[in-house]
């Protein structure tokens, strides 16, 4: 379960980035959750190599691995966990797409199997819905959960 303040920060980030997808990471522990607003570099990747990266930031997101590694390292140093990953879908419903599944799994499993994956639907600069997903080890797939406290 995520704290309401965390969800509100994610909503604000998603609305601010509209019409592009936002992305970020939540770290912390039982007492504290820290939202790390990440830069969506999908437009950069698309402009550099549109054949390899046909989608732009309106329909996809990409967190620079160096930025993610810094966040993971800081969390480890402060003995905190990677609690969640989040991104928005602009002018579309909140759902876990095949692309989301592909991005979040390495060799068939997520790098952080206990992390929550959050998708926010933003339509016309308004947060309309939020859905949360976790990895189910038995099903070897992501399932929908309620993640709001």
């Amino acid at each position: 379960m995520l704290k309401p303040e965390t969800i509100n920060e994610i909503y604000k980030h998603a609305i601010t980035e509209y019409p592009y997808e936002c992305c970020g990471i939540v770290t912390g522990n039982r007492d504290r959750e820290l939202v790390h607003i990440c830069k969506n570099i999908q437009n950069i990747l698309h402009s550099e190599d549109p054949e390899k990266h046909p989608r732009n930031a309106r329909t996809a997101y990409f967190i620079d691995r160096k930025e993610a590694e810094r966040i993971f390292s800081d969390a480890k140093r402060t003995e905190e966990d990677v609690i969640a990953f989040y991104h928005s879908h602009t002018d579309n419903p909140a759902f876990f797409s095949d692309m989301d599944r592909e991005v979040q799994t390495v060799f068939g499993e997520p790098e952080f199997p206990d992390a929550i994956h959050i998708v926010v639907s933003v339509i016309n600069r308004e947060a309309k819905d939020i859905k949360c997903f976790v990895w189910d080890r038995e099903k070897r797939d992501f399932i929908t959960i309620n993640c709001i406290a």
Side-chain angles (χ1 to χ4, degrees):
M1 296 289 229
L2 296 168
K3 297 177 187 219
E5 305 84 48
T6 301
I7 297 298
N8 286 335
E9 280 190 63
I10 293 169
Y11 279 149
K12 285 178 191 173
H13 184 204
I15 291 165
T16 300
E17 291 298 316
Y18 182 87
Y20 300 116
E21 289 194 4
C22 76
C23 53
I25 301 169
V26 180
T27 61
N29 55 37
R30 175 179 279 175
D31 300 319
R32 176 179 110 116
E33 294 173 357
L34 181 60
V35 175
H36 302 270
I37 293 173
C38 296
K39 181 178 179 180
N40 181 355
I41 64 167
Q42 187 68 35
N43 277 340
I44 295 168
L45 298 174
H46 176 71
S47 67
E48 290 175 351
D49 190 346
E51 196 169 306
K52 183 177 178 184
H53 301 279
R55 296 168 64 185
N56 65 24
R58 282 191 56 82
T59 60
Y61 74 96
F62 196 97
I63 298 173
D64 183 276
R65 188 63 193 189
K66 289 178 185 172
E67 182 177 17
E69 288 294 342
R70 182 189 51 77
I71 293 166
F72 302 154
S73 177
D74 288 350
K76 188 174 184 176
R77 183 179 42 76
T78 58
E79 298 181 357
E80 294 180 327
D81 297 314
V82 174
I83 297 171
F85 295 88
Y86 71 88
H87 73 281
S88 59
H89 284 177
T90 57
D91 298 320
N92 279 291
F95 65 98
F96 207 70
S97 69
D98 290 339
M99 177 67 80
D100 296 334
R101 190 172 283 100
E102 183 181 315
V103 167
Q104 292 302 328
T105 53
V106 181
F107 305 115
E109 291 195 5
E111 183 176 1
F112 294 91
D114 296 324
I116 299 167
H117 296 268
I118 304 161
V119 182
V120 177
S121 170
V122 180
I123 299 174
N124 295 326
R125 202 174 289 283
E126 187 177 329
K128 293 290 188 178
D129 193 15
I130 187 168
K131 296 241 170 78
C132 301
F133 307 86
V134 293
W135 181 250
D136 184 307
R137 286 177 171 90
E138 285 184 26
K139 292 182 180 178
R140 300 193 50 75
D141 200 0
F142 291 92
I143 59 170
T144 307
I145 64 161
N146 176 18
C147 69
I148 303 171

